[in-house]
Amino acid sequence: MKKIELLAPAGNFSKLKTALYYGADAVYAGGKNLSLRAFSDNFTDDEMRAAVLYAHSLNKKVYVTVNAFARNADLKRAEEYFKFLEDIEADAAIVTDPGLIAIAKSAAPNLEIHLSTQANTLNAAAAEFWVNTGVKRVILARELSFDEIKEIDRKSTRL
């Protein structure tokens, strides 16, 4: 049986500390760029670095959302951001855009990639596709029932 990971949102450093204190194994957090909630109370680069250090000191994980759908003007910044996330040893980037996944794999080959729920993966064939591109975790669409999730898990050979 797979170990369940308790994952909680961390919109800022205070929320990150609270989530980890109350038992989360990992948190997901967004930076100021390339996040669908980029204008929320998200982490600056310095805060993200501190958040990863803090979580790792507790043997916890930080997954960084890079789930925006990128335009051409975003691509250079994305490459730099993925390198930054790899440098600070973020545990994974949660990505939606296929172009950003390709950039992440090239710019930061040691950074684990998780597919965001925003990619709307609804079936086993799509999940297998993403795993075959190098995605380590597929966060399935919110619309799925527990039975549908079980079926995807049963039909997917590499999840």
Side-chain angles (χ1 to χ4, degrees):
M1 180 174 209
K2 297 176 186 173
K3 181 185 181 299
I4 294 174
E5 177 182 66
L6 180 58
L7 177 64
N12 60 40
F13 208 95
S14 175
K15 291 175 184 176
L16 176 140
K17 284 183 171 182
T18 300
L20 297 179
Y21 177 81
Y22 283 102
D25 300 305
V27 295
Y28 61 93
K32 297 287 186 186
N33 297 306
L34 300 167
S35 171
L36 285 178
R37 293 184 177 97
F39 298 108
S40 297
D41 188 19
N42 286 346
F43 291 75
T44 66
D45 287 355
D46 288 341
E47 290 169 333
M48 190 67 75
R49 182 185 308 276
V52 170
L53 287 170
Y54 177 76
H56 288 178
S57 77
L58 301 173
N59 293 316
K60 309 284 185 161
K61 295 181 177 183
V62 176
Y63 305 134
V64 180
T65 57
V66 188
N67 56 356
F69 290 95
R71 296 177 180 261
N72 286 328
D74 298 320
L75 301 183
K76 179 65 176 160
R77 181 171 30 138
E79 182 179 340
E80 293 165 1
Y81 193 55
F82 286 124
K83 287 178 183 178
F84 166 75
L85 294 178
E86 182 180 57
D87 181 57
I88 66 170
E89 299 180 355
D91 295 285
I94 302 174
V95 186
T96 303
D97 185 281
L100 291 183
I101 291 171
I103 289 169
K105 289 172 53 70
S106 174
N110 296 313
L111 179 63
E112 193 167 292
I113 304 299
H114 295 180
L115 186 69
S116 173
T117 188
Q118 301 297 332
N120 212 33
T121 302
L122 294 163
N123 61 69
E128 288 283 328
F129 168 82
W130 289 114
V131 170
N132 288 333
T133 68
V135 169
K136 297 295 182 192
R137 178 182 292 178
V138 176
I139 304 167
L140 297 171
R142 298 180 197 119
E143 297 82 4
L144 293 171
S145 68
F146 285 125
D147 287 338
E148 290 171 312
I149 292 168
K150 286 183 209 173
E151 183 180 5
I152 290 169
D153 184 53
R154 191 174 60 253
K155 289 183 175 180
S156 300
T157 59
R158 296 178 56 201
L159 292 180

